């Protein structure tokens, strides 16, 4: 009997120990997975989470495994898990948002909208959710009109491959394929660390790729890169794997010069190496603007697009491209084309899902609203890394629409191209008009410009089945906008005959002088913008500061006057009154220059903005808006001495509230600093110092 009881007791102990052992093993699986997950080694963490969930329904582990799948582009597996999670009684708002985002990525827009709306009910304060819901309705309007044909290029491998930049007669690209510089595998992706490669193009084919540079490619991640127009300078991204105080690995930009034989040793770009990331560089054709992404403080979301301007041998402090370009999501992979268009990828603007490719141009002193390129460039997956050659006939972009990141080549579909010819004549005598400026517009986006020849003729290659508009302009004639509607049949296009009515144009004359010295300002640029047609004309001041440009006196214009070293001046809604000679003053600036805001008023011990103060701050915001290359520091003062501590608290609050007001007017936060300056009976309550001025 005693033996039987002892045996029974031992069996119970055995079962308990087995259960404890099993539970301990399960916990160890989760702990190992969590360590890898926290280090963003998602591919490695997946194995432990999957084993744990074989015997568990733990929703926290399901959430982490679903995120691993999403990071690894395993949408089918992620969909299965998230569908289970949103059906659970433990579902939360973030689960709805993540599931809706995945559904949108796999093009199930109707179902995605349902779960975006579920999220909105729980988190109504999220300002971005209305845009996501709207995108599910609008995205079907962007259909593939087959104007471009795309193909996956031969350089692609099962690993990640994405385009980086044009170089010589070929392409520099980034790849996670097996390489000779690193035997390490990235735990986040399960691929080798990224390196840069070069492949020369022969005809329509790419030759075998080779390492771009054994000096640049290291055991860390390298790429993407860009090159100056003369290909003597390179800027490239490197992730050295070092962690910041938050445990995140940061990107840095490096640069090097080609000495005629080889590349010099790379140097870190002057604003890199800080407690934030900088990467994905793209330099303008004139070498004066370097665009890149960063998560530095003062942005709008995850990563924003910034620009540094070069004057002489100096680069300006990074300037955020502003809220028209940047969102509370991620903007990445900028590419500044030779025609001035900025192409970039974003998951914050309305798109198909994941990253989509957009374009914008800086004209009339501001960025135009970004245009989604639509299919075939954008899909429900991540699309990015857009590159296009000067003639716009061939280009590349990258996408993970087929599973892993691949490079795609696109060309204009020759079957969709046709020539549209036109003739400009005077309506009174039917004579052909030469030197008429003809601008082809596509959805208010300027596509091409040309001038009529001696016989009044012009020609554009356009896409079949697409609607356009034309703006025609010539001094002495009324400016016209002509709407062109595509024909429904495929017959050859007839010549477009356009007659222009004469009208009286007048010379807009003026003189630009320095505000303080009254000396002539030569080589100042005057941009005259017709408000009706948004067409531009330009002129430059001569050695005496004089300029002259013919305009239609019946129209209203915005005039932008620019000169390096001076504040940009904008004259809005200018209407011609008489033949008087306009004299316009420009104010010179210099770094560390102080500007007293004399109209600022505060009640004693108050930082509340009064009417006069708001007016002064509106003027300051206007100045910053038309001078995007300027950064400032606002100092707060008080004329009543209440002791150092109270003085500093009051003055800092005044400067802070003033800064926040200016930011609310659309000025990017990283352009404004503020501080307390304390008691000074002789100073204005707010003083502005130019901390950066190029």
């Amino acid at each position: 009997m005693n033996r039987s009881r002892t045996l029974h007791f031992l069996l119970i102990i055995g079962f308990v120990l087995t259960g404890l052992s099993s539970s301990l093993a399960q916990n160890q699986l989760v702990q190992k997975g969590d360590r890898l997950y926290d280090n963003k080694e998602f591919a490695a963490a997946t194995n432990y989470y999957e084993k744990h969930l074989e015997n568990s329904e733990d929703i926290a582990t399901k959430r982490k495994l679903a995120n691993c799948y999403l990071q690894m582009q395993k949408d089918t597996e992620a969909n299965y898990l998230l569908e289970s999670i949103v059906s659970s009684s433990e579902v939360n708002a973030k689960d709805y948002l993540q599931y809706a985002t995945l559904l949108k990525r796999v093009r199930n827009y109707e179902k995605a909208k349902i779960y975006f709306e579920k999220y909105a009910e729980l988190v109504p304060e999220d300002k971005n959710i209305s845009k996501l819901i709207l995108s599910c309705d609008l995205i079907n309007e962007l259909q593939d009109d087959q104007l471009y044909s795309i193909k996956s290029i031969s350089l692609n491998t099962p690993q990640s491959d994405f385009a980086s930049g044009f170089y010589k007669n070929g392409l520099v690209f980034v790849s996670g394929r097996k390489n000779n510089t690193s035997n390490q595998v990235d735990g986040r992706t399960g691929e080798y660390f990224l390196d840069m490669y070069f492949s020369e193009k022969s005809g329509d084919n790419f030759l075998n790729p080779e390492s771009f540079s054994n000096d640049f490619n290291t055991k860390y991640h390298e790429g993407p890169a860009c090159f100056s127009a003369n290909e003597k300078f390179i800027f490239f991204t490197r992730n050295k794997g070092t962690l910041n105080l938050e445990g995140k690995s940061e990107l840095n930009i490096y640069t090097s010069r080609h000495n005629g034989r080889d590349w010099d040793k790379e140097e870190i770009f002057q604003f890199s190496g800080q407690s934030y990331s900088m990467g994905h560089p793209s330099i303008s054709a004139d070498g004066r603007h370097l665009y890149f992404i960063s998560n530095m403080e003062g942005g709008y979301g995850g990563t924003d697009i910034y620009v540094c301007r070069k004057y002489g041998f100096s680069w300006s402090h990074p300037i955020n491209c502003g809220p028209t370009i940047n969102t509370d999501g991620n903007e990445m992979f900028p590419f500044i084309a030779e025609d001035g268009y900025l192409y970039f990828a974003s998951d914050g603007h309305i798109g198909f899902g994941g990253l989509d490719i957009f374009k914008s141009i800086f004209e009339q002193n501001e960025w135009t609203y970004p245009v989604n390129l639509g299919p075939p460039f954008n899909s429900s997956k991540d699309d990015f890394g857009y590159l296009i050659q000067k003639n716009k006939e061939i280009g590349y972009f990258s996408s993970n629409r087929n599973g892993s990141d691949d490079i795609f080549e696109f060309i204009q579909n020759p079957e969709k191209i046709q020539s549209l010819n036109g003739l400009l004549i005077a309506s009174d005598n039917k004579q052909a008009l030469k030197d008429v400026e003809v601008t082809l517009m596509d959805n208010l986006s300027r596509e091409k410009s040309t001038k009529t020849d001696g016989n009044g003729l012009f020609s554009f290659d356009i896409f079949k089945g697409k609607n356009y508009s034309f703006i025609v302009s010539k001094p002495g004639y009324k400016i016209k906008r002509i709407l062109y509607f595509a024909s429904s049949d495929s017959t050859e296009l007839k010549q477009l005959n356009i007659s222009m009515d004469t009208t009286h144009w007048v010379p807009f004359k003026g003189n630009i002088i320095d505000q303080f010295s009254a000396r002539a300002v030569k080589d100042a640029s005057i941009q005259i913008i017709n408000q009706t047609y948004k067409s531009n004309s330009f002129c430059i001041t001569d050695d005496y500061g004089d300029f002259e440009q013919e305009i239609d006196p019946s129209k209203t214009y915005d005039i932008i006057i620019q000169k390096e070293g001076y504040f940009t001046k904008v004259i809005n809604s200018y209407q011609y009154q008489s033949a008087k000679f306009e004299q316009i003053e420009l104010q010179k600036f210099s770094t560390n220059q102080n500007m007293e805001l004399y109209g600022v008023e505060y009640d004693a011990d108050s930082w509340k903005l009064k009417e006069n103060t708001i007016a002064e701050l509106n003027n300051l915001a206007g100045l910053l808006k038309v001078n995007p290359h300027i950064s400032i520091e606002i100092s707060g003062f008080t004329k009543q001495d209440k002791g150092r501590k109270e003085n500093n608290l009051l003055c800092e609050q005044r400067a802070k509230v003033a800064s926040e007001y200016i930011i609310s007017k659309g000025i990017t936060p990283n352009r404004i600093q503020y501080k307390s300056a304390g008691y000074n009976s002789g100073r204005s309550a707010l003083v502005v110092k130019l901390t950066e001025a190029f």
Side-chain angles (χ1 to χ4, degrees):
M1 187 71 175
N2 289 336
R3 182 180 296 176
S4 176
R5 287 180 179 177
T6 301
L7 182 61
H8 182 67
F9 176 75
L10 290 174
L11 285 173
I12 292 173
I13 293 296
F15 284 129
V16 170
L17 290 175
T18 301
L20 288 173
S21 176
S22 176
S23 177
L24 182 62
Q26 289 291 307
N27 288 336
Q28 287 177 339
L29 288 172
V30 174
Q31 289 171 3
K32 289 179 180 179
D34 286 349
R35 282 196 294 270
L36 294 165
Y37 183 90
D38 292 340
N39 200 36
K40 299 189 183 303
E41 297 183 47
F42 302 113
T46 297
N47 297 325
Y48 294 100
Y49 289 150
E50 287 176 340
K51 288 179 182 177
H52 173 69
L53 290 174
E54 289 176 1
N55 300 297
S56 172
E57 291 294 323
D58 177 34
I59 195 165
T61 305
K62 283 185 177 182
R63 288 187 177 115
K64 290 179 180 178
L65 180 57
N67 192 47
C68 288
Y69 287 146
L70 291 171
Q71 297 294 332
M72 298 165 63
Q73 309 296 332
K74 292 188 173 183
D75 292 344
T76 302
E77 292 87 341
N79 184 79
Y80 175 79
L81 267 181
L82 287 171
E83 190 173 28
S84 167
I85 291 170
V86 297
S87 302
S88 164
S89 59
E90 299 178 73
V91 64
N92 60 33
K94 188 176 179 181
D95 297 328
Y96 285 139
L97 179 62
Q98 195 168 45
Y99 187 43
T101 303
L102 174 61
L103 289 169
K104 186 182 176 188
R105 195 158 87 180
V106 297
R107 309 194 76 166
N108 191 341
Y109 301 118
E110 186 175 341
K111 193 172 181 180
K113 182 180 178 182
I114 293 172
Y115 283 93
F116 278 134
E117 289 172 341
K118 286 179 180 288
Y119 170 80
E121 291 175 4
L122 297 177
V123 192
E125 66 273 14
D126 188 338
K127 297 178 181 178
N128 193 48
I129 190 62
S130 59
K131 186 164 59 176
L132 292 170
I133 293 172
L134 180 64
S135 70
C136 293
D137 293 326
L138 296 182
I139 207 66
N140 288 322
E141 297 180 9
L142 292 171
Q143 299 295 330
D144 187 357
D145 45 21
Q146 298 181 332
L147 302 181
Y148 291 88
S149 58
I150 67 170
K151 67 176 182 179
S152 175
I153 66 175
S154 60
L155 299 175
N156 292 320
T157 65
Q159 291 77 37
S160 293
D161 305 281
F162 56 92
S164 177
F166 296 111
Y167 183 69
K168 297 187 181 298
N169 186 33
L171 190 68
V172 170
F173 66 99
V174 181
S175 179
R177 65 190 66 191
K178 189 173 183 179
N179 56 67
N180 297 323
T181 57
S182 174
N183 293 320
Q184 286 183 284
V185 172
D186 188 339
R188 295 172 298 176
T189 62
E191 298 180 358
Y192 288 90
F193 276 46
L194 299 173
D195 272 352
M196 296 184 292
Y197 296 83
F198 170 71
S199 177
E200 185 178 352
K201 194 173 186 183
S202 177
D204 293 332
N205 301 312
F206 283 98
L207 304 182
N208 288 334
E210 55 188 30
S211 172
F212 176 72
S213 167
N214 290 330
D215 293 324
F216 293 164
N217 287 331
T218 67
K219 63 181 180 179
Y220 306 111
H221 289 295
E222 276 82 30
C226 68
F227 300 88
S228 60
N230 60 9
E231 298 186 341
K232 289 186 177 181
F233 292 90
I234 182 176
F235 298 83
F236 68 92
T237 309
R238 175 179 287 160
N239 178 345
K240 291 196 69 173
T242 54
L243 303 180
N244 62 16
L245 295 177
E246 297 177 352
K248 295 180 179 179
S249 186
E250 303 292 3
L251 304 178
N252 290 308
I253 294 176
Y254 289 78
T255 182
S256 175
R257 181 183 69 90
H258 201 279
N259 57 33
R261 298 183 306 276
D262 204 352
W263 292 100
D264 292 337
K265 182 173 176 55
E266 70 274 19
E267 298 178 355
I268 194 166
F269 185 65
Q270 66 187 85
F271 297 108
S272 282
Q274 308 297 321
S275 59
Y276 50 78
S277 282
M278 288 178 64
H280 303 185
S282 178
I283 193 163
S284 60
D286 62 6
R288 296 182 61 178
H289 297 82
L290 181 69
Y291 294 85
F292 56 90
I293 68 164
S294 179
N295 61 353
M296 67 177 67
E297 188 177 350
Y300 292 92
T303 54
D304 283 0
I305 297 175
Y306 290 77
V307 61
C308 286
R309 300 164 185 259
K310 190 173 188 180
Y311 293 94
F313 295 101
S314 299
W315 287 101
S316 74
H317 189 80
I319 297 294
N320 190 295
C321 286
T324 302
I325 298 293
N326 295 313
T327 68
D328 54 3
N330 293 290
E331 280 65 51
M332 309 173 79
F333 296 95
F335 171 71
I336 186 70
E338 289 192 44
D339 61 1
Y341 273 98
L342 177 67
Y343 296 87
F344 63 96
S346 172
D347 61 10
H349 291 286
I350 291 179
F352 289 84
L355 293 170
D356 271 16
I357 302 169
F358 296 81
K359 73 172 183 177
S360 175
I361 190 169
F362 192 80
E363 61 180 13
Q364 299 172 12
N365 223 37
E366 61 185 3
W367 289 104
T368 58
Y369 190 79
V371 175
N372 188 306
L373 296 192
F377 305 104
N378 291 322
S379 67
S380 59
K381 300 298 180 67
D382 289 326
D383 307 286
F384 58 96
Y386 184 96
L387 306 172
I388 191 166
Q389 292 181 332
K390 184 177 181 180
N391 57 18
K392 290 191 174 184
E393 292 179 357
I394 189 170
Y396 302 89
F397 70 97
S398 305
S399 176
N400 63 3
R401 63 187 64 182
N402 294 335
S404 64
D405 294 336
D406 284 332
I407 304 169
F408 292 83
E409 181 181 271
F410 65 87
I411 60 171
Q412 293 180 349
N413 186 346
E415 296 180 358
K416 290 284 186 175
I417 301 293
Q418 59 185 357
S419 291
L420 176 64
N421 302 311
L423 170 67
L424 272 296
I425 60 172
S427 58
D428 52 359
N429 57 20
K430 309 304 179 186
Q431 293 294 311
L433 296 175
K434 70 174 183 177
D435 294 331
V436 179
E437 185 172 357
V438 186
T439 302
L440 178 68
M441 307 289 289
D442 174 17
N443 288 329
L444 301 181
S445 173
R446 189 184 306 270
E447 289 296 304
K448 303 174 185 176
S449 290
T450 189
K451 285 191 175 183
T452 55
D453 62 17
N455 297 315
L457 298 172
F458 72 90
S459 179
F460 286 118
D461 283 341
I462 64 171
F463 287 114
K464 295 178 182 177
K466 192 165 187 176
N467 299 330
Y468 295 93
S469 64
F470 298 90
I471 295 176
V472 293
S473 175
K474 180 178 173 66
Y477 294 84
K478 289 183 179 179
I479 299 175
K480 264 189 174 182
R481 176 184 283 123
I482 297 95
L483 300 179
Y484 170 79
F485 295 100
S487 173
S488 57
D489 55 42
S490 58
T491 57
E492 187 174 343
L493 295 179
K494 296 180 180 179
Q495 179 174 280
L496 192 64
N497 296 320
I498 304 171
S499 61
M500 299 186 71
D501 300 325
T502 57
T503 189
H504 178 59
W505 282 44
V506 296
F508 171 54
K509 298 180 180 180
N511 177 252
I512 309 295
I513 62 171
D514 185 288
Q515 180 177 350
F516 296 108
S517 69
R519 292 178 179 174
V521 178
K522 69 174 184 177
D523 296 330
S525 167
I526 297 93
Q527 183 180 5
I528 304 169
I529 304 162
N530 185 312
Q531 284 190 349
T532 304
Y533 298 103
K534 299 299 180 184
S535 57
N536 302 349
S537 57
F538 296 88
C539 58
I540 302 291
T541 56
D542 61 19
D543 290 346
Y544 304 99
D546 295 337
F547 68 89
E548 181 176 331
Q549 181 70 30
E550 288 191 281
I551 62 172
D552 181 346
S554 67
K555 303 300 180 185
T556 302
Y557 299 88
D558 292 328
I559 300 171
I560 302 174
I561 304 106
Q562 294 176 308
K563 168 72 177 176
E564 285 186 17
Y566 288 84
F567 288 114
T568 296
K569 189 160 193 173
V570 177
I571 302 172
N572 291 312
S573 302
Y574 172 83
Q575 290 182 309
Y576 183 83
Q577 299 293 334
S578 64
K580 69 176 183 177
F581 201 72
E582 301 283 351
Q583 189 164 77
I584 302 170
E585 296 179 345
L586 290 186
Q587 182 181 347
K588 209 167 192 175
F589 62 68
S590 61
T591 302
N592 295 323
Q593 173 184 339
N594 285 328
M595 297 186 296
E596 301 262 355
L597 302 186
Y598 292 109
V600 168
E601 295 179 351
Y602 289 100
D603 291 333
D605 301 328
S606 173
W607 53 80
K608 184 178 180 181
L609 301 180
K610 301 179 73 173
E611 186 175 341
N612 287 352
T613 304
I614 290 174
E616 284 277 19
L617 294 177
N618 284 338
N619 290 336
L620 179 58
L623 180 72
L624 291 171
K625 186 173 183 180
V626 299
N627 291 274
H629 51 286
I630 287 175
S631 300
I632 63 170
E633 179 185 76
I634 299 177
S635 297
F637 287 88
T638 179
K639 295 183 179 182
Q640 295 179 323
D641 190 1
K642 295 292 184 71
R644 179 177 295 179
K645 184 177 180 180
E646 287 194 29
N647 291 343
N648 284 336
L649 289 174
L650 173 64
C651 295
E652 183 176 13
Q653 196 64 21
R654 285 178 174 178
K656 179 184 178 184
V657 171
S659 299
E660 290 172 345
Y661 180 82
I662 293 172
I663 291 169
S664 74
K665 295 299 178 181
I667 306 302
T668 54
N670 84 314
R671 295 175 59 193
I672 304 173
Q673 298 173 312
Y674 66 88
K675 72 173 187 178
S676 167
Y679 167 73
N680 190 320
S681 61
R683 303 299 296 269
S684 170
L686 294 177
V687 174
V688 177
K689 182 172 77 172
L690 303 185
T691 57
E692 192 88 40
F694 281 84

